Amino acid sequence: MTQELVTIEINDQPYTVPKGRLLIEIADEHNIKIPRFCYHKKLSVAANCRMCLVDMAKSFKPVPACATFVEAGMKFWTNSEKTQQAQQAMMSFLLINHPLDCPICDQGGECELQDVSVTYGQRHSNYQGIKRVVIDKNIGPLIATEMTRCIQCTRCVRFGTEIAGMTELGSLFRGDRLEIGTYIEKSLQSELSGNMIDLCPVGALTAKPSRYKARAWEMQAHPSIAPHDAVGSNLELHLFRKAVLRCVPRENDSINETWLSDRDRFSYQGIDSPERLRQPLLRRQGQLVAVTWQEALQAAAAILQQADRSKVAALANPNSTLEELYLFQGLMRGLNIHNIDHRLRQIDFSDQTLAPLSPNLGVSIAELEQQRAVLLIGSNPRHEQVLLNHRLRKAALQGAKITAINPRGFEFNYPIAQLFVAPSALVKRLASLAKASLVANQSAIPFALVELLQSIDSTEADQTLVAELQAATHKLILLGNLAVQHPAYASLRALATVIATETGARLGYLPETANTVGAWLAGVLPHRLSAGRAVTPAGLAVTAMLQNPETVVLLNAETADFANPAQVSQALAQAQNLIVIGAFADQTLLDHATVILPGSVFAETSGTYCNAEGQWQSFQGAIEPIAQARPTWKILRVLGNASGLPAFTWLSSEEVALALTAELDAAMGNYPSYTLNDLPTLQALQPASATEAEFERVTTVKLYREDGLVRRATALQARVEDTVVELNPVDAANLALQAGEHVQISQGELSLQLPVRLSNDLAPGTVGLAAGDEATAVFSSVGLVRISKRV
């Protein structure tokens, strides 16, 4: 619908603008300066700082520009004497109780209060009284508080309620006693809480990890891309003395808007971790010793050239750059090694030949908030993809119907219908929905589904959900990490395809890491070359190649990055050689490594990440690699030279990316497709035979334990919850267990002791045990676990 245009005047200049727009928005669009503190374009209007007062014709008193909607014929003056007097008065009021501690304030040099007071304030103070003092709050390891500086703009309060979806901060008391704080003494838990630092216009909320380390004018800004989830958030690294001191968002409305997740904001602390690999190492006489790069590269090349090609396991973490992944698979295939994979946490590979070119959203990131119906299958987007979850929240608040089908319940921060069942019942639950969609369309059941669906009766709830999907104008079905990591992933994906086809919805994926999409494009797969080209014969997938390998090559991967860390540990113990390429190595890798080639993290190298919508985003290194470490793409290139591969002649990462681009262009869209006619024959996953004390494990990876860099960020690790065993209260009662009581949890011959937490978000017969830390690394992510009282 076309907006009505009206003519207004600002400072005696006419402007034609849409009727009903806010004056401050129009002024910003035309570069007319109006000071403000409480207003922010992504937050609701509060109009409580009154700093944006302007002179309006036919108005006895100035009006706030942030709360004034324009109509035809309105006239405003932003620099009249009346406006200046109002602005000086408001500035004076705001400074009544503000402390004069700019020389020690971390916000100094980039403080909105400083800038506005110099431009719009008075040169002297009218007040001589004692300033009030507000006690600081301890709100966690990420944000430092100096609440005496607070001017009660309430940006942080509105952010928590409107963006983060958690009302963690609020206004306490009234009048000149008003202060911002938590209602009860507690830490902020939101995964977006760090954005309050950027929103605060004064020095009341600052970054605790970088506090008192440098002044704003001493730092250099360097653009980069977030290396963790599949959003590809645009950010700036702030450098001081050739080190990353902090990280802030870089505005991009089509991707991360003005926000940044805490994971992306504070993970830079891992760059200088004491656990970084700093020099090439080679095992001699049972000990890892420091060697030159030439010795290490020659040793690694010799191992690869002499290895039995069929017993080499080449595994890459998909948070590597596109260039690193392309070179990695090129190196292995150049040596006739086909056991190559990046799907470290996936278990079921039975339908991999039918997989799409890459697992992307199916829509743009910005289009997520335009959806009117969304079905999430096996996903906790709030932890998996923080800013994609923010887009889904915006859709939900605009009336979108969002439903989640999961192996457990999660704490969402928007209205959602949650359906959760035991992992073994997930296929049957989704099959019921698929049958409802086929019945609603009066469609014939595909041959591959006959055996699965013939004994299933759809419920009224399924029929309602199908009707909602069919009626919605924009609808999307998303498969998340828990679906991809499910032991019957092929069945889940096939059933999701049926539902999408019958309801007219798009089928998309929430990729696991920053470059999962790129890893598929680059061909880090046993059955495909780069650009989606099929390879014959296909190599082994992750679980198969780890059965009995003689040589293992790891790129940016550690044991905690796998679905079954115990299997990885056993495989490494049996292998004759282990080559580690990357920035970090856990103790298991250090115990078994033959050669260690220290690589770079995202801030130390140039490269490209391909985000969830398939957008390539390239970046340059901001700092030099630590100690003797080298950019990982260069390590792989030189290793290819040392292995005698003639094609490894690239001189820059840009050239590597162009080589992959050329291959994608040559494919000319001849990519794999997936239709109902291609469905594999599906059967319901049979529940494992469980005794009274045995439970199906439901595994989620802990937030801030997803990759090596995050695991070394000390501030984020302070936010990681202690490891517990979660049980449904009914199961706990049957075992005579109380919350907090320690139990013995076992899987096979492995066991450990952990405290119990009761949760109604788990189906009876299941146990919640998070992955990603050392305590649970001994267990497989799927299967049965036994629980008994501690003796």
Side-chain angles (χ1 to χ4, degrees):
M1 186 171 64
T2 304
Q3 284 187 297
E4 179 184 351
L5 299 179
V6 297
T7 300
I8 65 171
E9 288 186 12
I10 303 178
N11 297 333
D12 300 319
Q13 293 293 320
Y15 297 94
T16 301
V17 299
K19 181 181 178 181
R21 290 284 304 281
L22 288 173
L23 174 60
I24 199 167
E25 294 176 348
I26 296 168
D28 288 347
E29 289 174 2
H30 292 89
N31 295 317
I32 301 170
K33 292 185 178 181
I34 297 178
R36 80 291 301 271
F37 290 117
C38 67
Y39 172 78
H40 190 277
K41 63 182 179 180
K42 295 293 184 181
L43 302 177
S44 63
V45 173
N48 55 6
C49 77
R50 318 304 281 185
M51 195 63 223
C52 66
L53 292 175
V54 296
D55 189 5
M56 184 176 77
K58 301 180 181 180
S59 175
F60 173 73
K61 57 185 180 180
V63 297
C66 71
T68 301
F69 298 95
V70 300
E71 300 284 348
M74 281 185 165
K75 296 181 179 181
F76 304 94
W77 293 270
T78 66
N79 53 11
S80 67
E81 182 179 354
K82 189 175 183 179
T83 299
Q84 291 176 4
Q85 288 177 350
Q87 291 168 344
Q88 287 179 355
M90 291 313 305
M91 196 70 246
S92 182
F93 284 134
L94 290 170
L95 292 174
I96 289 175
N97 284 310
H98 195 80
L100 300 176
D101 61 351
C102 296
I104 64 165
C105 179
D106 247 26
Q107 196 86 344
E110 54 185 4
C111 176
E112 294 178 47
L113 189 68
Q114 281 183 332
D115 297 339
V116 173
S117 64
V118 168
T119 307
Y120 300 95
Q122 301 182 96
R123 295 183 178 275
H124 63 279
S125 173
N126 294 323
Y127 300 93
Q128 305 297 324
I130 297 174
K131 296 176 183 286
R132 76 163 182 163
V133 174
V134 180
I135 301 300
D136 295 331
K137 282 77 176 172
N138 181 6
I139 57 175
L142 306 181
I143 303 176
T145 62
E146 290 284 349
M147 300 313 295
T148 302
R149 300 171 184 159
C150 178
I151 59 172
Q152 293 87 45
C153 71
T154 69
R155 282 185 183 178
C156 57
V157 176
R158 284 175 284 145
F159 171 82
T161 303
E162 298 166 13
I163 306 299
M166 300 178 69
T167 306
E168 296 184 290
L169 294 178
S171 301
L172 306 173
F173 313 117
R174 300 182 65 187
D176 65 347
R177 295 293 180 264
L178 180 69
E179 59 182 76
I180 304 298
T182 55
Y183 296 108
I184 57 175
E185 198 70 27
K186 66 172 186 176
S187 299
L188 302 187
Q189 297 301 315
S190 169
E191 59 279 1
L192 287 166
S193 64
N195 291 288
M196 295 180 186
I197 298 167
D198 305 324
L199 289 172
C200 185
V202 295
L205 303 177
T206 55
K208 189 174 284 188
S210 60
R211 196 182 192 197
Y212 297 146
K213 292 185 178 178
R215 309 299 296 187
W217 56 86
E218 296 176 313
M219 291 185 280
Q220 294 177 315
H222 193 286
S224 191
I225 304 297
H228 305 295
D229 60 30
V231 178
S233 297
N234 290 202
L235 52 83
E236 278 187 352
L237 300 172
H238 287 180
L239 314 180
F240 177 64
R241 294 178 180 172
K242 299 182 180 181
V244 179
L245 189 60
R246 67 180 182 183
C247 184
V248 299
R250 184 160 47 95
E251 185 173 352
N252 186 332
D253 263 349
S254 65
I255 297 179
N256 58 298
E257 301 180 90
T258 60
W259 314 123
L260 203 59
S261 69
D262 289 351
R263 174 171 50 200
D264 294 332
R265 183 184 296 269
F266 295 104
S267 66
Y268 71 87
Q269 284 189 299
I271 295 174
D272 294 325
S273 168
E275 297 181 30
R276 276 293 300 270
L277 298 174
R278 286 173 158 77
Q279 56 189 351
L281 301 173
L282 183 62
R283 189 170 297 278
R284 288 175 175 167
Q285 298 179 349
Q287 299 293 323
L288 284 175
V289 296
V291 295
T292 66
W293 267 106
Q294 183 177 3
E295 289 177 289
L297 288 166
Q298 288 177 345
I303 290 171
L304 292 173
Q305 289 171 322
Q306 297 167 14
D308 181 344
R309 307 299 198 261
S310 64
K311 294 187 177 181
V312 176
L315 297 160
N317 194 317
N319 66 1
S320 308
T321 68
L322 195 65
E323 293 81 357
E324 292 165 3
L325 293 166
Y326 181 70
L327 288 169
F328 182 72
Q329 64 85 30
L331 170 64
M332 296 303 150
R333 290 199 162 101
L335 294 170
N336 201 30
I337 295 169
H338 299 290
N339 298 335
I340 308 166
D341 215 337
H342 73 274
R343 300 165 296 177
L344 308 186
R345 290 196 173 109
Q346 188 171 329
I347 299 170
D348 181 12
F349 306 97
S350 58
D351 70 337
Q352 63 181 10
T353 57
L354 303 175
L357 175 66
S358 62
N360 57 56
L361 279 177
V363 296
S364 70
I365 291 174
E367 286 176 327
L368 280 178
E369 60 190 74
Q370 300 169 10
Q371 304 304 307
R372 308 316 303 153
V374 179
L375 174 61
L376 298 171
I377 301 173
S379 178
N380 178 18
R382 187 171 168 188
H383 283 186
E384 293 173 13
Q385 310 290 340
V386 177
L387 288 173
L388 297 188
N389 182 70
H390 166 60
R391 299 277 188 173
L392 291 174
R393 182 173 189 274
K394 291 169 76 173
L397 296 181
Q398 293 168 9
K401 302 290 185 180
I402 302 183
T403 304
I405 300 178
N406 279 318
R408 63 161 298 160
F410 294 105
E411 187 179 353
F412 286 86
N413 56 357
Y414 46 82
I416 188 171
Q418 287 203 72
L419 309 171
F420 59 90
V421 295
S424 61
L426 198 57
V427 171
K428 191 173 181 179
R429 185 67 192 80
L430 205 60
S432 175
L433 189 60
K435 187 170 184 178
S437 66
L438 289 165
V439 171
N441 274 4
Q442 298 183 345
S443 300
I445 297 177
F447 176 77
L449 298 179
V450 171
E451 183 178 351
L452 176 62
L453 297 186
Q454 63 183 357
S455 61
I456 292 177
D457 295 321
S458 298
T459 65
E460 185 177 344
D462 293 329
Q463 296 165 9
T464 301
L465 178 53
V466 167
E468 288 177 352
L469 284 170
Q470 290 178 325
T473 52
H474 299 283
K475 46 213 169 187
L476 185 63
I477 297 175
L478 291 172
L479 289 163
N481 292 0
L482 296 177
V484 175
Q485 296 160 15
H486 194 274
Y489 170 52
S491 297
L492 296 180
R493 192 161 73 89
L495 292 167
T497 302
V498 172
I499 299 168
T501 302
E502 296 301 315
T503 60
R506 291 191 181 186
L507 177 63
Y509 304 79
L510 289 167
E512 182 182 7
T513 72
N515 215 19
T516 296
V517 174
W520 281 80
L521 297 177
V524 187
L525 295 159
H527 64 294
R528 285 187 191 165
L529 302 173
S530 52
R533 297 168 294 161
V535 59
T536 304
L540 301 175
V542 177
T543 51
M545 73 173 76
L546 286 175
Q547 293 296 328
N548 188 28
E550 291 183 357
T551 299
V552 179
V553 187
L554 296 180
L555 175 64
N556 296 323
E558 298 179 277
T559 53
D561 298 322
F562 289 80
N564 192 343
Q567 183 195 24
V568 177
S569 298
Q570 184 178 2
L572 297 182
Q574 295 174 349
Q576 297 174 10
N577 291 295
L578 168 62
I579 300 173
V580 176
I581 308 170
F584 301 102
D586 57 39
Q587 192 57 51
T588 301
L589 303 191
L590 293 174
D591 289 342
H592 300 292
T594 309
V595 184
I596 291 181
L597 306 176
S600 55
V601 295
F602 78 106
E604 299 170 340
T605 185
S606 57
T608 304
Y609 290 133
C610 193
N611 71 6
E613 70 175 55
Q615 182 177 351
W616 292 30
Q617 297 187 101
S618 297
F619 54 94
Q620 296 295 318
I623 57 176
E624 292 293 324
I626 195 169
Q628 295 183 46
R630 295 292 182 266
T632 306
W633 77 266
K634 289 187 178 181
I635 296 173
L636 293 165
R637 195 276 316 276
V638 177
L639 187 55
N641 297 150
S643 300
L645 301 182
F648 277 58
T649 58
W650 298 284
L651 299 179
S652 67
S653 62
E654 289 81 4
E655 290 184 12
V656 180
L658 286 172
L660 176 56
T661 302
E663 292 183 5
L664 288 166
D665 291 341
M668 298 181 65
N670 186 23
Y671 301 136
S673 60
Y674 183 46
T675 67
L676 297 186
N677 295 327
D678 300 314
L679 290 176
T681 301
L682 303 183
Q683 295 179 341
L685 187 67
Q686 297 300 317
S689 177
T691 64
E692 184 178 343
E694 288 184 321
F695 301 84
E696 286 187 64
R697 179 180 178 180
V698 180
T699 306
T700 57
V701 180
K702 284 185 177 182
L703 186 62
Y704 310 133
R705 297 293 299 177
E706 300 94 335
D707 59 67
L709 189 63
V710 171
R711 288 193 287 266
R712 272 82 179 186
T714 52
L716 292 177
Q717 293 312 298
R719 290 275 297 272
V720 177
E721 292 186 349
D722 293 336
T723 302
V724 297
V725 176
E726 290 185 279
L727 280 173
N728 184 284
V730 174
D731 292 326
N734 291 337
L735 295 173
L737 293 173
Q738 302 292 326
E741 186 175 352
H742 279 68
V743 296
Q744 190 86 13
I745 181 166
S746 308
Q747 191 178 59
E749 298 179 354
L750 304 170
S751 66
L752 67 154
Q753 294 181 356
L754 293 171
V756 170
R757 177 190 294 165
L758 304 185
S759 174
N760 288 311
D761 287 332
L762 287 161
T766 65
V767 57
L769 187 62
D773 56 22
E774 295 178 1
T776 59
V778 296
F779 292 156
S780 169
S781 61
V782 297
L784 295 176
V785 294
R786 181 178 180 83
I787 294 179
S788 58
K789 278 199 170 186
R790 185 176 62 172
V791 179

mmCIF file of all heavy atoms in Angstrom, residues 162-181:
data_model
loop_
_atom_site.group_PDB
_atom_site.id
_atom_site.type_symbol
_atom_site.label_atom_id
_atom_site.label_comp_id
_atom_site.label_asym_id
_atom_site.label_seq_id
_atom_site.Cartn_x
_atom_site.Cartn_y
_atom_site.Cartn_z
ATOM 1 N N GLU A 162 12.359 -6.127 24.639
ATOM 2 C CA GLU A 162 11.910 -6.099 23.247
ATOM 3 C C GLU A 162 12.784 -6.924 22.307
ATOM 4 O O GLU A 162 12.284 -7.468 21.316
ATOM 5 C CB GLU A 162 11.874 -4.652 22.754
ATOM 6 C CG GLU A 162 10.900 -3.780 23.540
ATOM 7 C CD GLU A 162 11.103 -2.290 23.274
ATOM 8 O OE1 GLU A 162 11.818 -1.949 22.306
ATOM 9 O OE2 GLU A 162 10.558 -1.477 24.037
ATOM 10 N N ILE A 163 14.072 -7.021 22.564
ATOM 11 C CA ILE A 163 14.981 -7.712 21.654
ATOM 12 C C ILE A 163 15.415 -9.063 22.232
ATOM 13 O O ILE A 163 15.272 -10.104 21.600
ATOM 14 C CB ILE A 163 16.220 -6.849 21.342
ATOM 15 C CG1 ILE A 163 15.795 -5.464 20.830
ATOM 16 C CG2 ILE A 163 17.111 -7.558 20.325
ATOM 17 C CD1 ILE A 163 14.989 -5.490 19.557
ATOM 18 N N ALA A 164 15.961 -9.033 23.443
ATOM 19 C CA ALA A 164 16.434 -10.284 24.052
ATOM 20 C C ALA A 164 15.294 -11.170 24.522
ATOM 21 O O ALA A 164 15.466 -12.379 24.680
ATOM 22 C CB ALA A 164 17.370 -9.971 25.220
ATOM 23 N N GLY A 165 14.129 -10.574 24.766
ATOM 24 C CA GLY A 165 12.988 -11.363 25.221
ATOM 25 C C GLY A 165 13.084 -11.788 26.668
ATOM 26 O O GLY A 165 12.409 -12.724 27.088
ATOM 27 N N MET A 166 13.930 -11.112 27.438
ATOM 28 C CA MET A 166 14.096 -11.425 28.857
ATOM 29 C C MET A 166 14.121 -10.122 29.649
ATOM 30 O O MET A 166 14.994 -9.284 29.445
ATOM 31 C CB MET A 166 15.398 -12.200 29.103
ATOM 32 C CG MET A 166 15.487 -13.522 28.365
ATOM 33 S SD MET A 166 17.073 -14.356 28.648
ATOM 34 C CE MET A 166 16.921 -14.809 30.380
ATOM 35 N N THR A 167 13.162 -9.942 30.519
ATOM 36 C CA THR A 167 13.117 -8.729 31.336
ATOM 37 C C THR A 167 14.048 -8.917 32.522
ATOM 38 O O THR A 167 13.630 -9.340 33.602
ATOM 39 C CB THR A 167 11.683 -8.444 31.797
ATOM 40 O OG1 THR A 167 10.828 -8.394 30.661
ATOM 41 C CG2 THR A 167 11.606 -7.113 32.538
ATOM 42 N N GLU A 168 15.314 -8.604 32.312
ATOM 43 C CA GLU A 168 16.315 -8.827 33.351
ATOM 44 C C GLU A 168 16.669 -7.543 34.087
ATOM 45 O O GLU A 168 17.074 -7.574 35.244
ATOM 46 C CB GLU A 168 17.577 -9.432 32.734
ATOM 47 C CG GLU A 168 17.337 -10.806 32.126
ATOM 48 C CD GLU A 168 18.611 -11.434 31.605
ATOM 49 O OE1 GLU A 168 19.150 -10.950 30.591
ATOM 50 O OE2 GLU A 168 19.069 -12.410 32.218
ATOM 51 N N LEU A 169 16.590 -6.404 33.424
ATOM 52 C CA LEU A 169 16.834 -5.114 34.056
ATOM 53 C C LEU A 169 15.537 -4.320 34.092
ATOM 54 O O LEU A 169 14.684 -4.471 33.214
ATOM 55 C CB LEU A 169 17.902 -4.316 33.284
ATOM 56 C CG LEU A 169 19.320 -4.879 33.281
ATOM 57 C CD1 LEU A 169 20.231 -3.992 32.440
ATOM 58 C CD2 LEU A 169 19.868 -4.995 34.697
ATOM 59 N N GLY A 170 15.397 -3.477 35.083
ATOM 60 C CA GLY A 170 14.200 -2.655 35.207
ATOM 61 C C GLY A 170 14.473 -1.407 36.013
ATOM 62 O O GLY A 170 15.571 -1.209 36.540
ATOM 63 N N SER A 171 13.468 -0.557 36.104
ATOM 64 C CA SER A 171 13.585 0.701 36.853
ATOM 65 C C SER A 171 13.102 0.482 38.281
ATOM 66 O O SER A 171 11.991 -0.019 38.503
ATOM 67 C CB SER A 171 12.755 1.788 36.176
ATOM 68 O OG SER A 171 13.175 1.997 34.855
ATOM 69 N N LEU A 172 13.935 0.859 39.223
ATOM 70 C CA LEU A 172 13.602 0.744 40.636
ATOM 71 C C LEU A 172 13.421 2.144 41.230
ATOM 72 O O LEU A 172 14.160 3.070 40.885
ATOM 73 C CB LEU A 172 14.702 0.008 41.395
ATOM 74 C CG LEU A 172 15.092 -1.372 40.849
ATOM 75 C CD1 LEU A 172 16.309 -1.911 41.579
ATOM 76 C CD2 LEU A 172 13.927 -2.339 40.993
ATOM 77 N N PHE A 173 12.442 2.282 42.131
ATOM 78 C CA PHE A 173 12.146 3.539 42.811
ATOM 79 C C PHE A 173 11.620 4.589 41.825
ATOM 80 O O PHE A 173 11.316 4.275 40.679
ATOM 81 C CB PHE A 173 13.368 4.045 43.591
ATOM 82 C CG PHE A 173 14.025 2.967 44.414
ATOM 83 C CD1 PHE A 173 15.325 2.564 44.163
ATOM 84 C CD2 PHE A 173 13.326 2.322 45.427
ATOM 85 C CE1 PHE A 173 15.920 1.563 44.899
ATOM 86 C CE2 PHE A 173 13.921 1.320 46.178
ATOM 87 C CZ PHE A 173 15.215 0.930 45.917
ATOM 88 N N ARG A 174 11.531 5.856 42.282
ATOM 89 C CA ARG A 174 10.925 6.897 41.453
ATOM 90 C C ARG A 174 11.650 8.223 41.641
ATOM 91 O O ARG A 174 12.454 8.393 42.562
ATOM 92 C CB ARG A 174 9.441 7.083 41.825
ATOM 93 C CG ARG A 174 8.595 5.845 41.636
ATOM 94 C CD ARG A 174 7.151 6.100 41.978
ATOM 95 N NE ARG A 174 6.553 7.064 41.052
ATOM 96 C CZ ARG A 174 5.341 7.574 41.202
ATOM 97 N NH1 ARG A 174 4.608 7.235 42.260
ATOM 98 N NH2 ARG A 174 4.857 8.439 40.333
ATOM 99 N N GLY A 175 11.331 9.169 40.733
ATOM 100 C CA GLY A 175 11.846 10.526 40.856
ATOM 101 C C GLY A 175 13.358 10.584 40.881
ATOM 102 O O GLY A 175 14.031 9.916 40.094
ATOM 103 N N ASP A 176 13.929 11.384 41.804
ATOM 104 C CA ASP A 176 15.377 11.523 41.861
ATOM 105 C C ASP A 176 16.044 10.334 42.523
ATOM 106 O O ASP A 176 17.257 10.312 42.681
ATOM 107 C CB ASP A 176 15.765 12.828 42.577
ATOM 108 C CG ASP A 176 15.348 12.823 44.046
ATOM 109 O OD1 ASP A 176 14.564 11.933 44.439
ATOM 110 O OD2 ASP A 176 15.797 13.714 44.792
ATOM 111 N N ARG A 177 15.250 9.329 42.922
ATOM 112 C CA ARG A 177 15.807 8.097 43.474
ATOM 113 C C ARG A 177 15.775 6.954 42.448
ATOM 114 O O ARG A 177 16.168 5.835 42.750
ATOM 115 C CB ARG A 177 15.020 7.662 44.725
ATOM 116 C CG ARG A 177 15.139 8.639 45.885
ATOM 117 C CD ARG A 177 16.565 8.681 46.426
ATOM 118 N NE ARG A 177 16.682 9.611 47.539
ATOM 119 C CZ ARG A 177 17.098 10.861 47.422
ATOM 120 N NH1 ARG A 177 17.412 11.344 46.235
ATOM 121 N NH2 ARG A 177 17.201 11.646 48.470
ATOM 122 N N LEU A 178 15.322 7.245 41.242
ATOM 123 C CA LEU A 178 15.220 6.214 40.210
ATOM 124 C C LEU A 178 16.595 5.634 39.885
ATOM 125 O O LEU A 178 17.573 6.364 39.753
ATOM 126 C CB LEU A 178 14.614 6.822 38.938
ATOM 127 C CG LEU A 178 14.434 5.870 37.759
ATOM 128 C CD1 LEU A 178 13.347 4.846 38.058
ATOM 129 C CD2 LEU A 178 14.093 6.643 36.493
ATOM 130 N N GLU A 179 16.662 4.317 39.747
ATOM 131 C CA GLU A 179 17.905 3.670 39.323
ATOM 132 C C GLU A 179 17.577 2.391 38.558
ATOM 133 O O GLU A 179 16.497 1.825 38.697
ATOM 134 C CB GLU A 179 18.805 3.362 40.517
ATOM 135 C CG GLU A 179 18.210 2.454 41.567
ATOM 136 C CD GLU A 179 19.154 2.247 42.741
ATOM 137 O OE1 GLU A 179 19.267 3.162 43.571
ATOM 138 O OE2 GLU A 179 19.774 1.160 42.804
ATOM 139 N N ILE A 180 18.520 1.979 37.736
ATOM 140 C CA ILE A 180 18.357 0.781 36.920
ATOM 141 C C ILE A 180 19.074 -0.380 37.591
ATOM 142 O O ILE A 180 20.202 -0.239 38.074
ATOM 143 C CB ILE A 180 18.940 0.996 35.506
ATOM 144 C CG1 ILE A 180 18.299 2.206 34.834
ATOM 145 C CG2 ILE A 180 18.777 -0.257 34.657
ATOM 146 C CD1 ILE A 180 16.818 2.077 34.611
ATOM 147 N N GLY A 181 18.438 -1.527 37.597
ATOM 148 C CA GLY A 181 19.077 -2.699 38.190
ATOM 149 C C GLY A 181 18.237 -3.937 37.989
ATOM 150 O O GLY A 181 17.187 -3.906 37.339
#
